[in-house]
Amino acid sequence: MAERIGIDLGGTKIELAVLDHGGRVRWRRRIATPQGDYRATLQAIVALVQEAEVAIGSAASVGIGIPGSPSPRDGLIRNANSTCLNGQPLQHDLEALLGRPLRLANDANCLAISEASDGAGAGARTVFAAILGTGVGGGIVIDGRLLTGANAVAGEWGHNPLPLPTADDLPLPSCYCGRCGCIETYLSGPGMTADHRLHAGETVDAALIAARAAAGDTACAATLARFELRLARALAGVINLLDPDVIVLGGGLSQIAQLYDNVPQRWRAQVFSDSVCTRLLPAQHGDASGVRGAAWLWPAE
């Protein structure tokens, strides 16, 4: 198959792109994710694949990035913030419906593959890619190769506890994983909304908080400042452990431009070095990076 289909299965949207043999996007479509409905999610993915293959006039390989990962023990999905996927044989069910094998990986791993190959991390030896969206995930590429780890959870920083919580971080928010104070509960889009509600008493989504902060709204600016401090502390832990050349941000919150100046200034206090050379960059391929990485789970023919 000359064409490769990549699918980014997110908490709010499912995106599909078809890449040609040179990695160029031939066809692309985005739909809303059926909320909390596993069977409807399966059918939505199958319908997208069928529509794409009609549009390009041929069958294609299929790779999928998901907010979680298949267990190396039994293949069932675990650790997905789209909780209807957890405990489900997603790959098996989709292969049965599509009548062919497919490849499946964590969405942050797909982001890391894409950006380390020809994106913001191209040419860097060690790349850490972080998704800041409906959930928080991470992926690691070293010398051009994805690191998955013995337990297939390499890079999954979102369910580590937020380092050095302050009074502003309390009470520790509960997480769907059953723990409290996870990085994801602070650095996801819903986490920013919850923090603003706690401190400012109004429910506003992350995009509007960033826009209002840029326009001079003091309450939104304070929410964004807390977010920057938390992100800096969390990424300082990544730097101390992995020491990456580049950290690439993807997901909806990666579009907040001031993060790329402010967070590296703030993380210096927590990094165990007299200088910090790690670069913080937005995903060069933007919201297309996840689907590109998913497509690249299959080699080009």
Side-chain angles (χ1 to χ4, degrees):
M1 299 177 185
E3 283 79 24
R4 290 166 290 166
I5 287 175
I7 297 172
D8 183 8
L9 173 56
T12 58
K13 54 90 177 172
I14 303 172
E15 184 167 5
L16 180 149
V18 181
L19 303 188
D20 66 15
H21 66 281
R24 293 177 292 272
V25 175
R26 275 194 66 188
W27 191 87
R28 189 175 177 183
R29 177 88 187 278
R30 176 184 292 188
I31 63 172
T33 303
Q35 295 298 304
D37 190 329
Y38 176 69
R39 291 295 162 186
T41 299
L42 293 178
Q43 294 300 327
I45 292 170
V46 170
L48 272 179
V49 171
Q50 292 172 341
E51 183 181 359
E53 292 181 336
V54 168
I56 65 175
S58 65
S61 61
V62 178
I64 303 180
I66 66 166
S69 63
S71 168
R73 182 183 63 188
D74 54 19
L76 301 181
I77 303 304
R78 74 231 167 121
N79 303 335
N81 64 340
S82 296
T83 54
C84 70
L85 302 179
N86 289 326
Q88 299 289 353
L90 179 63
Q91 183 165 352
H92 173 273
D93 288 346
L94 285 173
E95 287 179 339
L97 290 168
L98 290 169
R100 77 190 81 166
L102 58 84
R103 295 185 180 178
L104 187 148
N106 175 261
D107 53 2
N109 287 350
C110 293
L111 171 67
I113 292 168
S114 175
E115 291 298 320
S117 296
D118 66 350
R125 182 174 183 186
T126 305
V127 177
F128 180 77
I131 289 180
L132 306 177
T134 306
V136 172
I140 301 166
V141 171
I142 299 174
D143 292 332
R145 299 183 64 180
L146 181 69
L147 178 67
T148 55
N151 304 296
V153 293
E156 283 295 347
W157 69 314
H159 294 278
N160 288 326
L162 181 73
L164 303 171
T166 68
D168 279 343
D169 304 324
L170 301 176
L172 298 178
S174 60
C175 183
Y176 76 88
C177 74
R179 288 169 282 201
C180 294
C182 290
I183 286 171
E184 179 167 304
T185 63
Y186 294 99
L187 299 184
S188 63
M192 183 185 286
T193 294
D195 178 69
H196 187 75
R197 183 168 56 246
L198 176 65
H199 289 273
E202 63 173 346
T203 300
V204 184
D205 69 25
L208 188 53
I209 290 169
R212 285 187 181 179
D217 183 303
T218 56
C220 288
T223 296
L224 196 51
R226 290 190 298 273
F227 182 86
E228 290 173 359
L229 283 168
R230 292 161 180 163
L231 180 57
R233 299 200 312 262
L235 289 179
V238 172
I239 296 170
N240 285 333
L241 184 64
L242 185 63
D243 204 11
D245 300 281
V246 177
I247 296 175
V248 179
L249 299 184
L253 277 69
S254 71
Q255 298 174 28
I256 302 174
Q258 70 187 60
L259 298 180
Y260 301 96
D261 290 326
N262 294 351
V263 171
Q265 294 177 23
R266 296 179 184 277
W267 73 29
R268 292 179 182 276
Q270 308 299 332
V271 175
F272 191 60
S273 174
D274 59 349
S275 64
V276 186
C277 300
T278 300
R279 292 173 289 153
L280 181 66
L281 300 171
Q284 182 173 311
H285 297 293
D287 62 3
S289 212
V291 293
R292 293 174 79 257
W296 283 348
L297 295 173
W298 290 90
E301 294 184 5

